[in-house]
Structure formats: C-alpha cells, structure tokens
Amino acid sequence: MRHIILIGLAVAGVSLTACSKEHQKEVSEGASAAATKIGDAAKDIASDPEVKQAGSAIADAAKDDATAVKDAVGDAADKTSEAADKAAADAKAKADADKARDAAKK
C-alpha cells in the first residue's frame, strides 16, 4: 500500500514539473497504467494459492509456538510450585527439629 502511495506522489511531482500539457498528460496516463498494473499484481498475489498456503502455514506455526510456550510456562509453574512446597516442608521440618532440640535442652 505504501508503494502505491509513494508512486502516486512521485507521479504527481513529475506531473507538476512537466514542461507542457502534453507531457503532463503522458505522465498522468503512464502513472494510471502503472497504478493499474500494480493493483492487478497485488490482487494476483493476494489470490495466489501458494501465498494463501504460506499464510496458513505461518498461522499454524504461530499456533504451535503459542501452544509450546503455554505448555512450557505451565511446566515451569508446576515445578516452581513443587519447589515452593518442598522448601516450605523443609522449613517446617527444620523449625520442628529446632523446637524439639530447644525442648530437650530444658
């Protein structure tokens, strides 16, 4: 889309600087023809089955990547939760041992 706008602006600039009405007309007709060809090429590309297939493949790959990331985050969360539970259990066991040791000293 940007290319079409840039081409249009370039053609407009050339049209304004053309020396005569005839030159302006020729430039304008050339620009119209070029814009038409560009538009047709864009339509051809958009409707090309291979381009559509590539787009589908990219979308599928993105979904697969999203699923993999989701699974990895879930695994990391599970492992973090397990580690936190173990650390809490270890801390409780140490506290109980310290309490028992202190009680035995009395």
Side-chain angles (χ1 to χ4, degrees):
M1 183 70 175
R2 286 188 201 156
H3 297 294
I4 293 172
I5 293 171
L6 291 175
I7 291 171
L9 291 173
V11 169
V14 171
S15 295
L16 292 174
T17 59
C19 296
S20 68
K21 295 281 183 186
E22 184 178 320
H23 286 129
Q24 288 177 358
K25 183 179 177 185
E26 288 174 10
V27 169
S28 178
E29 289 172 355
S32 288
T36 300
K37 287 180 182 179
I38 291 170
D40 291 344
K43 288 176 189 173
D44 289 344
I45 290 170
S47 63
D48 187 328
E50 291 180 3
V51 172
K52 287 182 180 180
Q53 185 178 8
S56 294
I58 291 169
D60 291 344
K63 287 178 187 176
D64 292 344
D65 290 347
T67 300
V69 168
K70 182 179 174 184
D71 292 344
V73 168
D75 290 345
D78 291 344
K79 289 179 182 176
T80 301
S81 178
E82 290 170 8
D85 291 345
K86 185 179 182 313
D90 290 348
K92 185 174 182 329
K94 184 177 182 324
D96 290 345
D98 289 345
K99 193 176 192 182
R101 187 184 68 238
D102 290 343
K105 285 183 183 178
K106 289 183 181 183

